[in-house]
Amino acid sequence: MNDLDPLAAFAALRTEEGGALLASLASYDPAQELSVATRLRRQHPAELVSAALGQARLRQRAAVKFGEEDARRMFFTPNGVEQSTRRSVAAHRATRFAALGVRSVADLCSGIGGDAIALARAGIQVLAVDRDPLTAEVARANAEALDLSRLIEVRCADVTEVDTSSYDAVFVDPARRGGRGRIFDPEAYSPPLSWAVGAARTRPHAALKVAPGIPHEAVPEGAEAEWISDGGDVKEAVLWFGTAPSAVRATLLPGPHTLTGRNLPDPPVRPAGRYLYEPDGAAIRAHLVAEVAEGVSGGLLDETIAYITSDELHSTPYATPYEITDELPFNMKKLKALLRERGVGNLTVKKRGSAVEPEEVRRKVKPQGPNAATVFLTRVAGAPTMLIGRPL
């Protein structure tokens, strides 16, 4: 084994010695890595220690996505941790597949197996395909580690050459990163979105994972588009086939809470009321701000900005409400004086439609005091405005 052979290094981690070494690193402190490595190299080959320490670091990073219990049993690659689907999102998608009556899925571009694991846990038979040999080995090891090998077959192959005709559905997660970072053109995905759409149309059901910034005009004809957020952060968009043709939805996790588009007209623009509602990012990406506004009896502060205002307080999972106490024209001196008068030291700054950065505001107003407030830098009917309030 040498440092240039990742397959051999990974195989060593799966030996009895490698497994014991990994287990001993379950709670190690990366800040102490030099001393830990020095100690372990007295008992184990240096290459094995290096591989184990790298895997231990990846497991710690992966706990955010996969949870502590799964992460400490699974194996990862750096790209796998970065690009794999969060467990909660994968579970939501698997639940949707199961509800459609799907019993087998060809998971194309499966990576380290995050979606395959969720599908298998939903009782679905999975063929997981990835063209990278190391990634495929990691996916196979994860199926074994989580006792799902009976439901997950892993194959190292080019997805464009795999026959999916015997499967109820396909799921495709094209690579959206290249040597220069994120790829924004869907036709530059690997494989291209057009190929994935063609593969999707060959089966009764399919789902394609795409970047949440995909333009609505790039959504294929007849596909359902779903934007998903988890804990308020937009994670991905999914194009569904064989579900609700041309439907648009926003799904919020945990929950799930799903808002479906109804082709409502744009909300009216109106003066700021007592409450401001900040829609969840999935609703904004899905262009469902009108549906959110209708649910809170609200209108827009400005026709180009996704801030909703209302005189009524409504409970909704699709937006965060704030009570507005003050409305000021954009003026830093007036804002500083008001915050000082209120004794605001804990200041949250949010912006939409303003070129001013939150850190610049904090630097200029120098908040001090025991109280908290939220400042919105935005426009009201086109005029630069500051709204001061508090979350409810």
Side-chain angles (χ1 to χ4, degrees), residues 33-381:
E33 181 165 317
L34 182 59
S35 61
V36 172
T38 301
R39 173 176 55 81
L40 292 176
R41 283 170 181 157
R42 299 190 188 107
Q43 302 169 306
H44 306 280
E47 296 90 345
L48 179 59
V49 171
S50 179
L53 287 169
Q55 191 61 226
R57 288 194 301 272
L58 291 174
R59 284 179 168 182
Q60 290 184 359
R61 285 173 52 196
V64 175
K65 278 190 174 182
F66 290 88
E68 292 280 355
E69 184 175 350
D70 279 356
R72 68 170 178 257
R73 298 164 63 191
M74 293 173 65
F75 297 89
F76 301 94
T77 65
N79 285 341
V81 173
E82 180 71 25
Q83 299 177 23
S84 58
T85 304
R86 183 177 290 262
R87 183 175 66 177
S88 56
V89 178
H92 163 71
R93 183 162 37 245
T95 298
R96 284 204 68 184
F97 268 125
L100 292 168
V102 168
R103 292 294 171 260
S104 61
V105 172
D107 178 3
L108 308 180
C109 309
S110 60
I112 62 170
D115 278 281
I117 290 165
L119 290 164
R121 284 174 166 168
I124 296 172
Q125 197 77 37
V126 186
L127 170 65
V129 183
D130 200 281
R131 68 181 179 182
D132 178 67
L134 175 60
T135 302
E137 281 301 311
V138 171
R140 187 174 291 111
N142 286 336
E144 294 176 9
L146 299 178
D147 195 27
L148 295 170
S149 295
R150 68 192 184 285
L151 289 169
I152 300 174
E153 174 194 348
V154 179
R155 187 180 303 174
C156 183
D158 185 328
V159 297
T160 64
E161 299 175 358
V162 174
D163 180 7
T164 62
S165 60
S166 63
Y167 293 86
D168 296 340
V170 296
F171 170 62
V172 189
D173 182 5
R176 294 178 299 284
R177 286 182 179 271
R180 298 182 179 179
R182 293 183 185 274
I183 296 171
F184 296 98
D185 177 8
E187 282 307 295
Y189 291 174
S190 180
L193 180 60
S194 57
W195 180 88
V197 171
R201 296 195 191 280
T202 67
R203 309 310 312 135
H205 299 289
L208 313 181
K209 179 179 171 180
V210 295
I214 186 172
H216 280 236
E217 56 269 23
V219 175
E221 182 178 356
E224 174 199 329
E226 178 183 29
W227 278 263
I228 303 173
S229 68
D230 187 15
D233 294 328
V234 182
K235 294 301 179 184
E236 64 182 58
V238 186
L239 306 179
W240 289 91
F241 296 80
T243 54
S246 302
V248 176
R249 65 165 66 192
T251 296
L252 282 57
L253 303 174
H257 304 282
T258 297
L259 183 66
T260 303
R262 290 180 284 121
N263 296 313
L264 297 180
D266 292 338
V269 176
R270 51 153 292 175
R274 181 176 178 181
Y275 301 101
L276 181 149
Y277 292 85
E278 183 180 24
D280 184 272
I284 295 174
R285 294 277 193 176
H287 295 180
L288 299 181
V289 173
E291 282 75 4
V292 178
E294 183 185 67
V296 298
S297 305
L300 297 179
L301 291 170
D302 184 275
E303 65 180 357
T304 64
I305 297 174
Y307 280 146
I308 298 166
T309 187
S310 176
D311 297 316
E312 303 173 14
L313 180 61
H314 293 265
S315 176
T316 174
Y318 305 113
T320 302
Y322 296 81
E323 183 177 23
I324 298 303
T325 56
D326 299 272
E327 179 179 353
L328 301 173
F330 188 89
N331 186 303
M332 285 292 183
K333 288 184 179 179
K334 289 184 178 180
L335 177 63
K336 182 176 182 178
L338 178 63
L339 296 176
R340 182 171 295 176
E341 177 187 325
R342 302 280 171 80
V344 172
N346 183 2
L347 181 66
T348 300
V349 182
K350 292 177 171 285
K351 57 170 260 181
R352 282 205 180 123
S354 174
V356 180
E357 292 300 325
E359 284 306 317
E360 181 182 351
V361 175
R362 293 190 188 92
R363 187 171 63 252
K364 288 185 175 181
V365 303
K366 299 176 182 176
Q368 294 180 9
N371 299 320
T374 300
V375 174
F376 294 88
L377 309 179
T378 187
R379 294 194 301 269
V380 174

